[in-house]
Amino acid sequence: MDMRSPIETTRTRLRRWRDEDRAAFHRLNSDETVMRFFPFRRSRAESDAFLDGLNARLDQDGVSFLALDVDGGDAAVGIVGMAVLDPIMPCAPGIEIGWRLLPEVWGQGYATEAAEGCLHRAFTNPGACDDIVSFCVDGNAASEAVMLRLGFSREADFDHPKVDPATHPHLVRHRLYRLRRADWRSRQRG
C-alpha cells in the first residue's frame, strides 16, 4: 500500500502536507473543539514538528495522515489517513485509519468520503493489507458514526495506554473497530 500519490474522490483530495498548511495544521492540533477527545494541545512548534514527522513517515512507510482538501480547494481543512500502529497499542501490529476536521466542514460527509478513498487504496493495491482498525474515545459519537458508515465492526473496548487516567480519566476508555478486506469488498459489490 502506498499513499505517496494523492488520493482523490469526487469531493476530496488527500495529499502530502505543505509549508502553507502549517497554520491550519496548528489549528487542528490546538483548537479546543477539534481536540476535545484528545488529552493534549500542541503549540505551533510542536504542530510544525508533527507535520514534518507525518511527511517523513509517508516517505518511510508509504502511509501517513494526509492533508485533506475539499471541493476542489487547495487549503487543508482536515487530516485523514492511515498509519502503522504504535507497538504499544493493544491492537498492534497493524494499520489504523483516522480523521480530524476543522469545525466549519463538519457534518458534510468529507471524513467518510476521504476515508473511503484511503480504504480503496489500502484494499485494492498490490500487497493490500487484510484489515484496518480505527478507534475513538468512548462517547465520540461523530467519529464512531464515520466508522459505522464505512462498514467497520466494533471489536472491543480498551484503555488507551498513552492516556493518563490521573489527568484525563474521561479520555482513557476507547472503542476499537475493525474492517476486513473481504468485508469491504463485499460492500463494494453489494
Side-chain angles (χ1 to χ4, degrees):
M1 166 179 40
D2 191 335
M3 299 173 70
R4 285 172 256 210
S5 62
I7 297 172
E8 297 187 15
T9 69
T10 303
R11 301 180 307 146
T12 71
R13 180 171 57 124
L14 296 172
R15 58 164 173 81
R16 175 184 215 64
W17 292 96
R18 301 183 301 235
D19 282 340
E20 56 266 28
D21 299 322
R22 290 184 186 276
F25 190 71
H26 177 241
R27 186 170 166 219
L28 282 164
N29 287 288
S30 62
D31 183 276
E32 290 295 322
T33 305
V34 175
M35 296 296 287
R36 73 182 178 276
F37 293 111
F38 291 82
F40 54 85
R41 309 295 176 266
R42 288 187 172 95
S43 68
R44 178 61 187 260
E46 291 168 331
S47 286
D48 285 349
F50 185 40
L51 182 148
D52 293 337
L54 291 176
N55 280 341
R57 200 179 314 168
L58 181 62
D59 293 337
Q60 177 183 326
D61 299 335
V63 296
S64 188
F65 293 104
L66 304 170
L68 169 67
D69 298 333
V70 297
D71 291 329
D74 201 29
V77 296
I79 178 172
V80 180
M82 296 184 290
V84 176
L85 281 164
D86 187 324
I88 195 171
M89 297 302 292
C91 46
I95 301 289
E96 71 169 298
I97 189 169
W99 42 83
R100 191 173 348 136
L101 280 62
L102 294 174
E104 54 268 26
V105 296
W106 288 356
Q108 298 177 49
Y110 294 129
T112 303
E113 185 174 334
E116 185 62 52
C118 286
L119 294 172
H120 184 270
R121 175 80 52 96
F123 287 143
T124 61
N125 285 334
C129 54
D130 290 327
D131 61 8
I132 294 174
V133 299
S134 191
F135 46 87
C136 65
V137 169
D138 186 13
N140 185 346
S143 194
E144 204 166 6
V146 173
M147 293 176 211
L148 292 170
R149 280 193 295 274
L150 291 168
F152 280 75
S153 297
R154 188 169 171 186
E155 185 169 281
D157 291 356
F158 68 96
D159 289 344
H160 199 297
K162 292 184 175 182
V163 178
D164 184 352
T167 58
H168 297 91
H170 61 294
L171 300 177
V172 173
R173 199 70 176 155
H174 278 61
R175 294 182 175 182
L176 172 66
Y177 282 77
R178 185 177 304 274
L179 179 61
R180 289 177 172 73
R181 180 177 46 189
D183 295 334
W184 180 84
R185 284 186 172 165
S186 292
R187 286 190 58 174
Q188 300 306 301
R189 288 190 294 265

